[in-house]
Amino acid sequence: AQKVTQAQTEISVVEKEDVTLDCVYETRDTTYYLFWYKQPPSGELVFLIRRNSFDEQNEISGRYSWNFQKSTSSFNFTITASQVVDSAVYFCALSEVMIKAAGNKLTFGGGTRVLVKP
Amino acid sequence: SQTIHQWPATLVQPVGSPLSLECTVEGTSNPNLYWYRQAAGRGLQLLFYSVGIGQISSEVPQNLSASRPQDRQFILSSKKLLLSDSGFYLCAWSPWTESSYNEQFFGPGTRLTVL
């Protein structure tokens, strides 16, 4: 069975500090995708990134960066120079191997609440 | 561009009453559709998913049901609500492509309180 663990329940930082969110996953599939979503106070989940299991290159998008390490089954997310608008719950998710007939289901971690104080 | 709508945005219902939540997607055809529930302060639980009209798969046995009467319409229902049905209900869609790993896009959600 697939499992995603986000051990940090809540992280509180002061604006401009960096914050790293941990994500550890378990799967028996050799091919899979990992995702990060942001859930601001409004509630809607916003897609941030998708990474496949064959691409271990780190990725940077503005103040966001992702570190995928297959050897440790981790897909960590760092926000550099955090801002108040980064305050949200962040979810890591794992996609099962699925054919069209079965859809592509995501297994979500429990989420990490990030509170950025001014 | 594609958009996903959910209504109502908030709902307060008494225990034992029926429920109907609606989700519609615009700007795409034959999407995969999903219903999730998020209890207060917790993660997302997949309830149902659908790969086509009339095709519903249930992930968690419960007193909820889902239907897909049209290609881009997904409905979550209950005949009798329980207190434990309270939560934030999110609808999501993913595109129909050859890849099975497409990200899901979420609607704004419905906050349901059962009293």
Side-chain angles (χ1 to χ4, degrees), chain A residues 56-75:
Chain A
E56 291 195 64
Q57 283 190 345
N58 291 335
E59 183 158 341
I60 298 174
S61 175
R63 294 183 297 106
Y64 293 169
S65 61
W66 290 270
N67 181 0
F68 175 34
Q69 296 204 351
K70 207 168 178 178
S71 60
T72 56
S73 298
S74 65
F75 186 40

Side-chain angles (χ1 to χ4, degrees), chain B residues 59-96:
Chain B
E59 287 293 294
V60 183
Q62 59 216 324
N63 69 320
L64 299 172
S65 62
S67 62
R68 185 170 177 173
Q70 301 180 44
D71 181 44
R72 290 167 290 176
Q73 184 185 30
F74 204 23
I75 297 172
L76 183 69
S77 304
S78 174
K79 293 181 180 178
K80 287 186 177 181
L81 283 169
L82 306 173
L83 286 174
S84 57
D85 292 324
S86 293
F88 190 52
Y89 288 82
L90 287 155
C91 181
W93 74 277
S94 64
W96 170 194

Side-chain angles (χ1 to χ4, degrees), chain A residues 2 29 32-33 35 93-97 104-106, chain B residues 100-101:
Chain A
Q2 315 242 335
D29 295 334
Y32 51 89
Y33 270 76
F35 304 81
L94 170 68
S95 175
E96 295 183 353
V97 176
N104 61 308
K105 296 185 289 185
L106 296 180
Chain B
S100 295
Y101 307 105

